[in-house]
Amino acid sequence: MSDNRPSWTSRLTFILAAVGSAVGLGNIWRFPYIMGQNGGAIFLLVYLTLILTICFIPMMAELYMGKFIKKDCVSAYESINPKFKLLGYLNPITGVLISSFYFIVGGWIINYVILGLKNTQITDFAAYFGTFTQTSVPTCIFTLLFLFMCVFFTARGVKKGIEFANNILMPLFAVILVGLIIFSLTLPNAHLGLEYMFKPDFSKINAHMLLAALGQALFTLSIGMGALLTYGSYIKNDKNITKSAYTIIFSDTLFALLAGIMIFPAIFSFGLEPSSGAGLVFVTLPYIFSQIPHGNIVSVAFFVLLFAAAITSGISIIEVPIASMVERFKITRTKACSILFCIIAAIAIPTTLSFGILDGFKILGKNLFDFLDFATSNLLMPLNALFLCIIAGWFLKIRGHLFLQNKFFAKLFDIGLKYIVPIILISLLYIGLR
Ligand code: PHE
């Protein structure tokens, strides 16, 4: 079986795919809305601290584990110790649950592309977004369409698409973001947005915010779901994974910061509420576009590029369950893709309806969409990352494979992997979920 495993054509393809996985809706959609719900600048400070200190460690562990074992998540965990198989399964399960809300947002993007193409004139975007997400048929169709596209690309083999999306579309996306930032900064009261983003109010620190920052850091870097492990397992011979990890972290953080600087000045200028939740970007951006000459064209360009970013991340999310299905159940990729399509659709449809007819159905006071978003990022991903560090540090003894040239760095990494990161993860989970 292992001879049939896919592999990246070059080191660059791998880096592009990994950056493509990281940069997605997590940066442009989720980051501003979670930051808006958690006090702005103070959240940013904690988030950046976590990214710059601890996230590197589980990221490297995932990539290395994939690269050395060269198996899907479940088989990789199982090969270290058969008892870890169940923990391994938690990765594709998390992937399926993330897909079930991520692809809904992908569907919203498709709707906004169409809106821009039709040049529909709307005055109250908050009301529009509320009404749109309450509908049943269009939202479900768009969710399924987005899901279908991800599954389609994954079934066809993703290398070419990912390469194109990342080589051409992502730099273009960064250029559009910078253009929009410049525009956003010239809006009246833009400075209030910058203050909100960069002037921390330390009185707003609380346990939930710390866990939310951890959840966002893991989500945006694609850590704790097996995506990096699976992508790592397709690496042939890249000796310098450390450099790849830095590249992923740098590009991802850059995109998140650009998104924030684009969104927050506009939020304050248009008198919107930063803490308004998952619709934040979908309400704020149309306001920006409505102020720009030929804004509908800019809007179409923006949402098409966001769509591309979302697709490359979506592909990496479903690649995890697909790799496990193909390798464990010995079925073809196409068959695995079809089965997965049905499973995700079965969860994603009720989740899509959780803004409309299933609004009354709440888990822990949250609708299904918010619950899945919360449970995967703030619970499952930190847990998966914790198990990963423990398994990689204590059982795989990954240290032997890492940084052999630099003994000091290797020691530091080992201590981080075995003690520091697990302790931080357990503490944040404990205080955040109490
Ligand atoms: N990191 C992706 C984003 O920011 C989402 C993702 C999560 C991808 C987990 C893979 C695994 O959009």
Side-chain angles (χ1 to χ4, degrees):
M1 193 70 208
S2 61
D3 293 331
N4 300 330
R5 298 192 88 249
S7 61
W8 305 113
T9 22
S10 67
R11 171 161 190 262
L12 187 67
T13 329
F14 158 67
I15 296 187
L16 289 177
V19 171
S21 165
V23 176
L25 295 177
N27 310 60
I28 313 290
W29 158 73
R30 199 174 189 278
F31 171 71
Y33 113 68
I34 296 289
M35 178 160 151
Q37 283 183 332
N38 287 281
I42 186 67
F43 171 89
L44 181 64
L45 193 67
V46 178
Y47 163 83
L48 286 178
T49 310
L50 289 172
I51 288 209
L52 296 176
T53 53
I54 68 160
C55 286
F56 173 76
I57 292 176
M59 175 179 276
M60 288 288 289
E62 251 198 58
L63 289 171
Y64 263 93
M65 216 158 129
K67 189 189 152 187
F68 280 104
I69 304 182
K70 293 230 183 320
K71 287 193 167 128
D72 70 283
C73 273
V74 183
S75 314
Y77 278 43
E78 190 186 34
S79 72
I80 298 171
N81 185 326
K83 286 194 194 122
F84 296 150
K85 190 166 85 179
L86 277 181
L87 298 180
Y89 269 114
L90 218 47
N91 288 287
I93 291 174
T94 308
V96 169
L97 296 178
I98 293 180
S99 313
S100 305
F101 70 87
Y102 199 89
F103 293 1
I104 295 172
V105 185
W108 295 347
I109 297 175
I110 300 180
N111 178 63
Y112 275 70
V113 171
I114 298 173
L115 215 61
L117 287 173
K118 288 209 266 186
N119 201 4
T120 318
Q121 298 303 323
I122 295 165
T123 40
D124 186 344
F125 294 107
Y128 171 78
F129 181 77
T131 317
F132 165 68
T133 47
Q134 275 166 20
T135 60
S136 304
V137 179
T139 45
C140 285
I141 290 178
F142 290 139
T143 302
L144 291 179
L145 193 62
F146 189 85
L147 166 62
F148 177 78
M149 288 193 221
C150 284
V151 171
F152 179 78
F153 284 124
T154 313
R156 293 288 301 268
V158 295
K159 279 187 228 165
K160 283 239 163 60
I162 287 182
E163 230 161 317
F164 174 73
N166 291 291
N167 267 340
I168 317 264
L169 299 183
M170 286 308 108
L172 206 63
F173 194 27
V175 170
I176 288 217
L177 276 179
V178 171
L180 289 173
I181 286 175
I182 295 171
F183 180 79
S184 200
L185 289 177
T186 59
L187 290 167
N189 290 330
H191 66 281
L192 294 178
L194 291 181
E195 272 170 33
Y196 181 80
M197 206 175 152
F198 293 113
K199 222 166 137 190
D201 173 355
F202 286 90
S203 69
K204 289 202 175 129
I205 289 199
N206 66 62
H208 294 292
M209 183 271 274
L210 296 178
L211 183 60
L214 172 71
Q216 175 58 21
L218 297 177
F219 186 89
T220 192
L221 292 173
S222 311
I223 300 170
M225 200 216 76
L228 296 175
L229 193 154
T230 309
Y231 273 14
S233 76
Y234 301 150
I235 299 175
K236 270 191 279 188
N237 32 25
D238 176 2
K239 293 199 186 62
N240 206 341
I241 288 190
T242 320
K243 220 159 133 196
S244 312
Y246 287 137
T247 312
I248 302 170
I249 293 178
F250 174 78
S251 341
D252 189 80
T253 310
L254 181 72
F255 269 92
L257 288 174
L258 289 180
I261 304 175
M262 165 182 73
I263 292 288
F264 284 105
I267 292 176
F268 282 84
S269 183
F270 297 123
L272 303 168
E273 193 42 66
S275 63
S276 62
L280 185 66
V281 163
F282 289 92
V283 172
T284 315
L285 283 170
Y287 270 112
I288 302 183
F289 298 133
S290 71
Q291 306 284 313
I292 299 178
H294 302 296
N296 66 311
I297 299 173
V298 185
S299 165
V300 171
F302 178 88
F303 282 114
V304 166
L305 293 170
L306 182 56
F307 176 79
I311 287 270
T312 50
S313 302
I315 288 172
S316 75
I317 299 174
I318 56 175
E319 182 63 22
V320 177
I322 289 185
S324 291
M325 286 160 83
V326 169
E327 289 183 39
R328 296 195 65 84
F329 306 135
K330 310 273 180 272
I331 53 176
T332 62
R333 225 177 144 73
T334 322
K335 195 163 176 193
C337 285
S338 321
I339 298 173
L340 192 70
F341 179 91
C342 299
I343 298 175
I344 296 177
I347 311 176
I349 288 178
T351 312
T352 310
L353 299 176
S354 64
F355 292 98
I357 52 173
L358 293 183
D359 189 24
F361 178 71
K362 299 260 186 312
I363 306 175
L364 299 177
K366 295 181 187 333
N367 72 14
L368 200 52
F369 180 98
D370 290 334
F371 174 75
L372 282 178
D373 184 353
F374 170 84
T376 47
S377 310
N378 294 5
L379 180 67
L380 289 171
M381 294 180 93
L383 272 181
N384 288 335
L386 173 67
F387 297 143
L388 176 98
C389 288
I390 294 175
I391 292 174
W394 293 92
F395 296 90
L396 182 64
K397 305 216 180 346
I398 214 165
R399 178 185 171 187
H401 307 294
L402 282 163
F403 309 114
L404 290 174
Q405 337 74 310
N406 188 331
K407 291 252 158 42
F408 173 72
F409 207 12
K411 179 94 196 133
L412 205 63
F413 184 89
D414 201 43
I415 296 174
L417 188 64
K418 283 181 169 160
Y419 305 98
I420 301 176
V421 178
I423 290 172
I424 294 179
L425 290 176
I426 293 172
S427 319
L428 289 182
L429 274 169
Y430 175 73
I431 60 168
L433 294 174
R434 247 182 338 164

